[in-house]
Amino acid sequence: MALQFSLAHLTVLTCSPVDMIRIAHRTGYDYVSLRLTAVTPTEHVFALQDDPAMMAEVKALLKDTGVRVLDIELARMPPEVEPEAYAAVLDAAAELGAQHILAQLPDPDRARATARFARLCDMARPLDLSIGLEYPSWTETPNLQAAADVVRAAGRPNAGIVVDTLHFDRSRDSLDALRALPREWFRFAQVCDAPAEIPDTVEGLIHTARDERFVPGEGGLDIRQILDALPAVPYSLEIPNNEQVQALGHEAWARRCIEGARRYLGNLAA
């Protein structure tokens, strides 16, 4: 199976969806992974679900370029947020032809988080969307085991886990544990490299995750072993690096990311 890549919004966060699709088309990505909700209070978001004009432009551009939407993020459900808050995002994802929704559960009440995750899956299923649970190490769902417990308890056919190579490393997850999980839970992965040393503070973990990821092969993560433990899936290149974006610009950085990933991961396509 030939490798397939998606340009993740966090890699070029200040780009509009229109600019992202154009960049993805020019630099050889198969997909884009669009962020329609803000994660931080200062983050600018391009909420297509609330912008019919931009939605129409994006849909026309997808048709013209052949670029597809892999996933939409982010359905993040801390204690104060119910899954119904993302109804419009799910509808927008379906309208764009997306395949997956990325979710996070930063909620200390595991029973409540699991019930909400199951409800989100139920909302997404009639729209032919899967829900992939991401587990940043600093959240209350901090590792592969915790994510697997949620997905197993939810018991929904469109539920799964999204392995991010950074979070897998920072959570000190086990390759054997990853190999033991149902293959159908894994529909795409997020790929980057990073410094080998794991920060010892939450602030340090978040800084790397949002501002200092590296092109595959340029850091200290064992990316190949992680991806070898997964089925053949598309790879969303989520590689935010403020210094590189400022130096190169969005398009040159996106091109460097995919060219580096192809060089480093090319043997996985055999």
Side-chain angles (χ1 to χ4, degrees), residues 19 76 89 124 130 132 164:
D19 289 337
R76 190 172 185 272
V89 173
S130 79
D164 181 313

Side-chain angles (χ1 to χ4, degrees), residues 120 149 159:
L120 188 68
D149 288 346

Side-chain angles (χ1 to χ4, degrees), residues 229-243:
L230 291 171
V233 294
Y235 299 143
S236 179
L237 299 183
E238 187 171 73
I239 315 177
N241 188 303
N242 286 349
E243 182 178 335

Side-chain angles (χ1 to χ4, degrees), residues 189-259:
Q190 293 181 323
V191 177
C192 70
D193 213 331
E197 184 177 356
I198 299 177
D200 56 7
T201 66
V202 170
E203 293 76 16
L205 291 166
I206 292 174
H207 170 76
T208 301
R210 291 188 61 89
D211 299 321
E212 198 185 1
R213 301 197 196 197
F214 299 159
V215 172
E218 297 183 7
L221 305 189
D222 198 350
I223 300 169
R224 279 199 183 91
Q225 285 204 51
I226 298 170
L227 299 184
D228 278 343
L230 291 171
V233 294
Y235 299 143
S236 179
L237 299 183
E238 187 171 73
I239 315 177
N241 188 303
N242 286 349
E243 182 178 335
Q244 292 295 327
V245 168
Q246 290 173 8
L248 300 175
H250 289 127
E251 183 165 339
W253 176 237
R255 179 176 287 106
R256 185 176 164 203
C257 289
I258 192 171
E259 289 178 351

Side-chain angles (χ1 to χ4, degrees), residues 17-252:
V18 169
D19 289 337
M20 269 189 73
I21 295 164
R22 288 174 175 153
I23 289 172
H25 178 59
R26 289 194 292 260
T27 54
Y29 289 82
D30 306 279
Y31 301 96
V32 290
S33 298
L34 299 177
R35 179 173 290 202
L36 303 189
T37 63
V39 175
T40 71
T42 59
E43 183 178 306
H44 181 74
V45 66
F46 298 91
L48 291 176
Q49 65 273 21
D50 300 323
D51 191 336
M54 185 178 286
M55 172 65 87
E57 186 177 4
V58 166
K59 288 169 64 179
L61 194 56
L62 291 170
K63 183 178 179 180
D64 289 345
T65 62
V67 174
R68 291 166 286 168
V69 179
L70 181 64
D71 65 290
I72 296 293
E73 56 180 63
L74 178 67
R76 190 172 185 272
M77 291 181 284
E80 67 276 12
V81 176
E82 300 284 350
E84 288 75 17
Y86 295 105
V89 173
L90 297 185
D91 288 340
E95 187 174 351
L96 290 165
Q99 301 176 33
H100 316 291
I101 299 291
L102 189 69
Q104 290 180 1
L105 297 174
D107 187 343
D109 187 329
R110 182 62 57 78
R112 178 176 60 198
T114 301
R116 286 176 171 175
F117 181 78
R119 278 160 51 201
L120 188 68
C121 290
D122 290 342
M123 293 167 60
R125 192 176 179 191
L127 301 173
D128 292 325
L129 292 164
S130 79
I131 304 295
L133 180 56
E134 183 183 32
Y135 56 92
S137 62
W138 59 87
T139 70
E140 289 79 359
T141 309
N143 52 43
L144 182 65
Q145 183 60 59
D149 288 346
V150 169
V151 172
R152 188 174 288 111
R156 299 305 196 265
N158 61 331
I161 295 172
V162 176
V163 169
D164 181 313
T165 54
L166 177 67
H167 301 325
F168 188 95
D169 177 83
R170 284 359 188 191
S171 296
R172 297 178 169 86
D173 285 326
S174 159
L175 289 167
D176 287 340
L178 178 58
R179 294 187 191 101
L181 293 174
R183 303 293 83 190
E184 63 269 19
W185 284 5
F186 302 100
R187 297 174 173 94
F188 72 101
Q190 293 181 323
V191 177
C192 70
D193 213 331
E197 184 177 356
I198 299 177
D200 56 7
T201 66
V202 170
E203 293 76 16
L205 291 166
I206 292 174
H207 170 76
T208 301
R210 291 188 61 89
D211 299 321
E212 198 185 1
R213 301 197 196 197
F214 299 159
V215 172
E218 297 183 7
L221 305 189
D222 198 350
I223 300 169
R224 279 199 183 91
Q225 285 204 51
I226 298 170
L227 299 184
D228 278 343
L230 291 171
V233 294
Y235 299 143
S236 179
L237 299 183
E238 187 171 73
I239 315 177
N241 188 303
N242 286 349
E243 182 178 335
Q244 292 295 327
V245 168
Q246 290 173 8
L248 300 175
H250 289 127
E251 183 165 339

